[in-house]
Amino acid sequence: MVTSMEGHQILTTTEAAALAGVAPTTLKRWADQGLLAFARTAGGHRRFQRGAVERLVRELAQPRAEPSGAPAADPPAEGWIRAMVAGPRHELEARLLGARDRLGRWCHVGDEVAAALVELGRRWACGELSIADEHVASGALMRALGRIGDMLPSRGDGPVCLLACADGDQHSLGLAMAELCVREQGWTPLWLGPRTPVDEIVRLVADGRVRAVALSASGFMDDPQALGALAGSAAGACRERGVGLALGGSGAWPTGVSYGDRLDSFAAFSTWLSSAGTR
């Protein structure tokens, strides 16, 4: 543990996890979900302020106050979580389609669902939901997105967007939502999915089959050097062919990529697709 120039005690991931009484993986999940602020060293390692860790532990330990008077309407996340964890098979699909009608575009639905997933992760981290609940929710959402994607038209002559998770990453929920955005924009998705070797991405780009590449890395991909090497390989191939490159998800993508765009929302991805199609 060290003290910064501003007087804050700075902790490593292991030290912060020990202070919070949780495993380092749980602490990283809190950070990826935006519950706990952190900084990265020049080598890409996370550092946490002791005071921030202590505040979060106190907040998670506080019981939720019961509402008084007339019950307030459920926040959007509440309905999504209930549908993902305990809803009938088609309730989540109906909720997704209803949100599309309400919000007007799939990218806005994606950003609302992403916020609900952050809340779901928070509840899992503090013991309000079990590991089984989290797995059930992820599986239900993935299946619902797949069924809706199969229903959406895909132009045979539309520009092709390659969709892939970083090599080693098996979490493809964000990528599945991105596919709906791709189809809505008139693009043709080329789904490679989880754990895609970068050599395959480079090969397909070199073959001239795609106009854009969307790479996703979940928060479990927290090695900036590994993701930097992957982004560099993909960027080299995309630059040579004039192919757009988008890096999404909460993984530790490098901040100064030589080519491509780091995107932080589905709305930003949808806007990016509009410009990538004119390359």
Side-chain angles (χ1 to χ4, degrees), residues 243-267:
V243 170
L245 174 63
L247 306 175
S250 56
W253 291 112
T255 55
V257 293
S258 60
Y259 182 86
D261 299 284
R262 177 72 172 93
L263 306 177
D264 59 3
S265 70
F266 290 105

Side-chain angles (χ1 to χ4, degrees), residues 202-232:
V202 170
R203 180 182 65 82
L204 291 170
V205 170
D207 286 347
R209 296 183 57 185
V210 302
R211 187 177 296 178
V213 172
L215 292 181
S216 172
S218 71
F220 292 95
M221 304 296 290
D222 59 357
D223 183 345
Q225 292 183 335
L227 285 181
L230 186 155

Side-chain angles (χ1 to χ4, degrees), residues 187-200:
W187 287 66
T188 298
L190 177 59
W191 174 272
L192 300 190
R195 297 181 175 138
T196 301
V198 67
D199 290 347
E200 281 299 293

